[in-house]
Amino acid sequence: MSKIIKIVLIVLGVLSAILWYQLPGRDVPASEAVNSGAMNFMFIITYLLLAIAVAVSLLFTLKNLFANPKSLKKTLMVVGGFLLVVVISYVLADGTDINLEEMANRGIETSETTVKRIGTGLNVFFLLVVIAVGSMLYGGFKKMTNK
């Protein structure tokens, strides 16, 4: 298996080097350079390698996660806590924070749902920051009082 992976990586490396030399020069206008076949194939190779890396890392993460019941329980608690933060943020978000007519006059078409989703994202960010700072302060305080 290791030899196959090495051969595939060597082939991809040689192919990428060939495509690199076929890229358009600096004097080619950007509108023409975007349609370059070499550039498109390089993007395809990049996306392929990225997909393989994500799939392998996800596979090994899930394998290790399900191998240890304690880590699975802890992970599920963290995911549940994050979902709780998202639900709280959604409840706290208000879709009427801005004047939708004024946004439409400026050429930005939006809806109350979009504004509520943006508010939810901001609330999630701020709540997670508060939780992170609070946990750092709690850990530091706990260390100081134990000694």
Side-chain angles (χ1 to χ4, degrees):
M1 184 71 174
S2 178
K3 282 187 176 186
I4 295 172
I5 292 173
K6 286 181 184 179
I7 292 170
V8 168
L9 290 176
I10 290 171
V11 168
L12 283 174
V14 169
L15 180 63
S16 298
I18 292 169
L19 291 172
W20 177 265
Y21 286 109
Q22 292 180 349
L23 286 175
R26 292 184 185 194
D27 55 340
V28 176
S31 59
E32 292 178 24
V34 170
N35 295 327
S36 167
M39 188 176 295
N40 289 333
F41 283 124
M42 288 185 81
F43 277 120
I44 290 170
I45 291 172
T46 303
Y47 292 141
L48 179 69
L49 291 175
L50 181 64
I52 291 170
V54 167
V56 168
S57 64
L58 188 63
L59 177 76
F60 282 113
T61 300
L62 292 175
K63 181 183 140 206
N64 290 335
L65 187 66
F66 289 116
N68 187 357
K70 286 184 181 181
S71 67
L72 179 62
K73 181 180 176 183
K74 188 174 182 180
T75 302
L76 289 176
M77 288 178 59
V78 169
V79 169
F82 180 72
L83 290 176
L84 180 66
V85 167
V86 171
V87 168
I88 290 170
S89 298
Y90 185 78
V91 169
L92 292 176
D94 188 18
T96 59
D97 295 345
I98 62 169
N99 187 352
L100 297 177
E101 292 176 18
E102 181 68 29
M103 295 293 282
N105 291 339
R106 293 183 180 190
I108 304 170
E109 293 298 325
T110 187
S111 65
E112 205 170 298
T113 305
T114 304
V115 174
K116 188 166 178 97
R117 287 180 184 161
I118 292 170
T120 300
L122 290 171
N123 289 342
V124 167
F125 173 76
F126 292 134
L127 279 173
L128 290 178
V129 166
V130 167
I131 291 170
V133 169
S135 65
M136 287 188 298
L137 290 175
Y138 175 75
F141 181 74
K142 192 172 178 182
K143 266 188 178 178
M144 287 186 340
T145 58
N146 283 345
K147 289 184 177 183

